[in-house]
Amino acid sequence: MMPKKAKAAGSRKEEGPVPCKQMKVEAAGGPSALNFESPSSLFESLISPINTETFFKEFWEQKPLLIRRDDPALATYYGSLFKLTDLKSLCSQGMYYGRDVNVCRCVSGKKKVLNKDGKAHFLQLRKDFDQKRATIQFHQPQRFKDELWRIQEKLECYFGSLVGSNVYITPAGSQGLPPHYDDVEVFILQLEGEKHWRLYHPTVPLAREYSVEAEERLGRPVHEFTLKPGDLLYFPRGTIHQADTPVGLAHSTHVTISTYQNNSWGDFLLDTISGLVFDTAKEDVELRGGIPRQLLLQVESTAVATRRLSGFLRMLADRLEGSKELLSSDMKKDFIMHRLPPYSAGDGAELSTPGGKLPRLDSVVRLQFKDHIVLTVLPDQDQSDEAQEKMVYIYHSLKNRRETHMMGNEEETESHGLRFPLSHLDALKQIWNSSAISVKDLKLTTDEEKENLVLSLWTECLIQVV
C-alpha cells in the first residue's frame, strides 16, 4: 500500500540545525507493513515514500536521508523486529560476550567495553544496562529473528551484496559509541523509544575502513535530529556519526542494517584483473617474458618498467572491451557462500529435497531461486595450474546456514553447487535467460547430455518441471 503524499518535515527547535530539505522527508501515512512480493518491492516499501530512482540518483553514496513516519501500524511492526525483552529468551539459548553481544559505553569520547567472560546472562545484562547506563549491542540478530532474516535475505537479493545487522539498546541519558564512521552503507530503523543523532561531514568519503573520530576534530554537526519508532535513516559509508538516548525518556532500540562492504569498483577490478592476466598470458608471449634483472631490488620503479606495465594495462583494457563475460574469480563465490539462505517459514525442506516431477527429455523446466544462484566460468579447481581448463561453476546459497550468517566462521562455511564442462555454457544460459524452456531445445549435442544437465540441476533444487 502506497503512503499519502510526502511532505517536508518541519524543524523542531530542540533538535538543533535543520537537515537540508532534500534530506528530510515525512510520510503523512506510511505503509502498514513491508512488501515482500519481490526484492524490489521490499526495498521500495522500506524507503517509502521516496522512490528508488530518486534514492539512487540523489542519496546513495552521496548524502544522508531521513524519513519520518507518523504511522502507528508501521511503528508497531518495527517494534516487533527486536525488543529489549527479547534478550531474556535469546540468552537462554546460549549467547556469548564478544561473539553475540557487546556491552559498552562512550566515556569522554572513547568506547569503554564492559563485557564479562563466557556466556551472557540476562540478569547481568540488565544490571549493567540499568546501573552502568551501558549500551547492549546484539550482533547479527537475523540469525534468530525470523522477520529480520526475511528482510535481509530480500535485501541481499536486491543489492547483490551481503547485508548484516546489529541491534543497539541504549538507556536514557547515555551513549554507547564514540563519534566514528563505518565502511558500509547504513540503514537505521528506529524500533523502540527515541534516539538523538548527530551527523558530520565525512573526512574520508566512501571509507573502506572503520575509524573513530576525535571530538575536537568534528566541528558542528551537519544534521541533528531525533528518531522515533517507524522512522528510517540512511547515510553513506564514511559519514561520521554519534547517537545518544535523550535524558528523561525510555530506553532506545534501533537496528542498523548495513551493506556494500568491500563492494566497490576497486574491489571488483582487483577480483577481475588476476583472471584476465592469467588468460591473456596463455596467448601473449610478451606477458610471459621475464622482467629485467634486479628489478625487484630497485628502490624506485624504472622508466622502462613503468612504460611496459602501462602498455600491458592498455592491452588488457582493449581485451576486456571485447569481452561479454563478467570475469569475477572470488567476489561471486564469496557472496553466494556467505549470504543468507532463502527465507522459509517452514522446515526448509524445499531447499534441500527436490520435489515435483523428475525432469525428462520431453519436460519443460524453469529456474527457481534465481536470486540465490551465480553462474561463473573458472579454471578447473581440480587440475594443476599447467593443465587447468575452463569449467562452468554454479554456486548457490540454498543450503547455507542462517545461524552462521556474517559471523566470520570460515571453518564452518562451505560452497554448494555444481560443475559442468564449458560446452554446457550455452545450454545453461538458455535456462537462465528463459522463463521456461523445453529440455529437448537445449544447445547440447546429445539427448543424454540434456537429460543429465537438468537432472543435476533438479537434484540441487535449482529447477522445477512446469
Side-chain angles (χ1 to χ4, degrees), residues 103-118:
V103 179
C104 59
R105 185 174 181 186
C106 178
V107 179
S108 301
K110 294 184 178 180
K111 178 181 177 180
K112 184 177 182 181
V113 179
L114 305 172
N115 287 353
K116 306 294 189 292
D117 293 327

Side-chain angles (χ1 to χ4, degrees), residues 132-200:
K132 297 181 179 179
R133 320 307 297 158
T135 288
I136 300 171
Q137 177 188 15
F138 193 88
H139 300 150
Q140 310 303 335
Q142 72 278 6
R143 295 176 294 148
F144 308 99
K145 303 292 286 184
D146 286 354
E147 198 68 5
L148 284 173
W149 171 22
R150 192 180 180 200
I151 291 170
Q152 290 174 233
E153 180 260 322
K154 277 285 190 289
L155 289 177
E156 287 186 332
C157 294
Y158 184 76
F159 285 108
S161 175
L162 295 175
V163 175
S165 68
N166 285 307
V167 165
Y168 297 87
I169 309 173
T170 304
S174 186
Q175 179 170 330
L177 300 175
H180 66 280
Y181 60 79
D182 298 297
D183 58 347
V184 286
E185 301 294 301
V186 171
F187 296 87
I188 291 162
L189 281 59
Q190 186 66 25
L191 310 182
E192 293 182 306
E194 299 181 10
K195 202 68 174 279
H196 170 240
W197 287 83
R198 286 169 284 175
L199 309 184
Y200 306 82

Side-chain angles (χ1 to χ4, degrees), residues 253-432:
T253 303
H254 76 263
V255 61
T256 296
I257 296 176
S258 57
T259 189
Y260 258 64
Q261 185 179 50
N262 300 329
N263 211 48
S264 68
W265 278 113
D267 296 303
F268 192 68
L269 181 61
L270 285 171
D271 190 48
T272 299
I273 201 75
S274 60
L276 188 61
V277 171
F278 184 85
D279 289 346
T280 307
K282 284 184 175 181
E283 304 171 11
D284 194 300
V285 68
E286 286 192 72
L287 270 178
R288 301 200 301 272
I291 60 176
R293 288 181 300 104
Q294 299 187 344
L295 177 63
L296 303 181
L297 301 176
Q298 304 299 316
V299 176
E300 297 179 344
S301 179
T302 66
V304 172
T306 301
R307 189 164 58 249
R308 290 283 282 172
L309 284 174
S310 298
F312 286 137
L313 287 172
R314 281 189 286 269
M315 178 185 66
L316 291 171
D318 291 339
R319 181 184 176 98
L320 190 59
E321 286 280 352
S323 173
K324 292 184 178 180
E325 302 294 336
L326 275 178
L327 306 170
S328 173
S329 59
D330 293 319
M331 287 180 70
K332 278 188 173 185
K333 183 179 179 181
D334 182 74
F335 167 54
I336 218 72
M337 281 178 60
H338 293 92
R339 63 170 301 184
L340 283 163
Y343 174 77
S344 173
D347 59 6
E350 71 275 16
L351 306 180
S352 57
T353 306
K357 296 179 181 178
L358 197 71
R360 301 295 186 189
L361 187 63
D362 58 353
S363 300
V364 175
V365 299
R366 72 172 181 86
L367 198 65
Q368 59 180 356
F369 303 112
K370 187 175 182 179
D371 290 333
H372 283 266
I373 313 168
V374 296
L375 186 155
T376 189
V377 177
L378 297 170
D380 189 345
Q381 309 295 307
D382 293 337
Q383 291 183 324
S384 64
D385 289 344
E386 294 79 12
Q388 278 185 335
E389 295 181 0
K390 290 290 186 68
M391 301 286 289
V392 182
Y393 284 84
I394 295 173
Y395 296 109
H396 65 81
S397 58
L398 273 58
K399 299 176 184 177
N400 287 6
R401 295 179 58 213
R402 167 194 180 190
E403 296 79 12
T404 61
H405 183 243
M406 300 297 289
M407 295 301 290
N409 300 344
E410 294 300 327
E411 67 278 0
E412 297 182 26
T413 303
E414 59 178 315
S415 60
H416 305 286
L418 299 164
R419 182 183 67 174
F420 297 100
L422 194 59
S423 58
H424 286 49
L425 181 58
D426 286 341
L428 287 165
K429 285 183 176 180
Q430 285 179 279
I431 296 173
W432 249 252

Side-chain angles (χ1 to χ4, degrees), residues 417-466:
L418 299 164
R419 182 183 67 174
F420 297 100
L422 194 59
S423 58
H424 286 49
L425 181 58
D426 286 341
L428 287 165
K429 285 183 176 180
Q430 285 179 279
I431 296 173
W432 249 252
N433 296 328
S434 304
S435 56
I437 188 168
S438 174
V439 175
K440 64 177 179 290
D441 292 337
L442 293 175
K443 295 179 180 178
L444 288 169
T445 306
T446 67
D447 290 345
E448 183 182 11
E449 285 180 320
K450 296 174 184 179
E451 284 196 331
N452 287 341
L453 172 61
V454 294
L455 185 59
S456 297
L457 295 172
W458 180 81
T459 303
E460 287 287 305
C461 304
L462 303 182
I463 62 169
Q464 60 180 188
V465 177
V466 296

Side-chain angles (χ1 to χ4, degrees), residues 117-133:
D117 293 327
K119 278 189 178 182
H121 299 282
F122 177 70
L123 290 179
Q124 182 63 54
L125 289 177
R126 192 65 202 245
K127 182 180 179 181
D128 290 337
F129 182 80
D130 292 332
Q131 297 181 8
K132 297 181 179 179
R133 320 307 297 158

Side-chain angles (χ1 to χ4, degrees), residues 27-59:
S32 59
L34 301 178
N35 185 342
F36 289 93
E37 287 185 12
S38 68
S40 295
S41 65
L42 183 277
F43 186 70
E44 287 167 3
S45 63
L46 186 68
I47 64 168
S48 174
I50 296 293
N51 64 57
T52 54
E53 182 180 357
T54 299
F55 175 78
F56 286 105
K57 183 179 180 180
E58 298 184 14
F59 298 100

